[in-house]
Amino acid sequence: MSDENVLGHRDDVTAVRGEERAVATLTWAVDARAESYTVRADGPWGTVEAQGHDLVAALDTVRRELEGERWLLALNAARPDVAQSGMLRGSGSSRAYLLRHGTPGRRDAMVNLFDDAPPSAVTTVDAQKEAHERWLRSL
């Protein structure tokens, strides 16, 4: 991440694998010249780093890799009821909508992707995408 602008860093992220809990470090950055974002997660799995065209794409790639080891990150970004609009993704925002079935996303119901979520509230990338599709059909 040497050529990139660090946007955020946390050294106290909870990682969950079944009943097991571990502390992880998460760093997210932007490389304006390459128009890409990088997310790096350090924990009991070692280091996983990925790039994407936006923060969610990079974070989802990291999450998928961790899922291979059965780890989930206890972040709002991993909740089934949290999603970004295309505009938020395109702007590089770390904010996302907290979704309610049958109700459009609202500005007064937004969360930060990198803030803590209860370990019981997080899921896999695929389960999150399925939940988002169900929400879209509910509108």
Side-chain angles (χ1 to χ4, degrees):
M1 293 189 154
S2 59
D3 291 340
E4 299 171 318
N5 257 341
V6 173
L7 300 172
H9 175 85
R10 291 193 52 202
D11 58 6
D12 62 347
V13 174
T14 300
V16 180
R17 182 166 64 179
E19 295 300 315
E20 186 178 357
R21 302 289 185 266
V23 176
T25 299
L26 199 64
T27 305
W28 54 102
V30 62
D31 184 340
R33 289 176 295 154
E35 296 181 11
S36 68
Y37 293 83
T38 302
V39 173
R40 183 178 67 223
D42 297 288
W45 51 80
T47 298
V48 174
E49 184 172 297
Q51 290 184 316
H53 61 280
D54 60 47
L55 280 172
V56 171
L59 182 56
D60 282 357
T61 301
V62 167
R63 290 175 55 208
R64 281 188 190 281
E65 178 119 2
L66 297 179
E67 288 170 16
E69 299 291 324
R70 298 180 302 130
W71 286 104
L72 300 175
L73 298 174
L75 299 170
N76 283 330
R79 292 175 52 161
D81 60 347
V82 168
Q84 281 191 319
S85 65
M87 187 179 293
L88 287 171
R89 285 184 80 149
S91 73
S93 177
S94 63
R95 305 281 292 158
Y97 293 103
L98 184 59
L99 306 174
R100 296 292 174 238
H101 190 77
T103 305
R106 298 185 351 231
R107 284 185 155 207
D108 63 343
M110 294 183 79
V111 296
N112 187 299
L113 293 170
F114 297 99
D115 282 354
D116 292 330
S120 62
V122 298
T123 192
T124 65
V125 174
D126 287 339
Q128 184 181 36
K129 289 184 185 308
E130 289 169 12
H132 185 251
E133 289 170 11
R134 282 191 305 275
W135 171 77
L136 287 171
R137 288 191 301 272
S138 79
L139 299 179

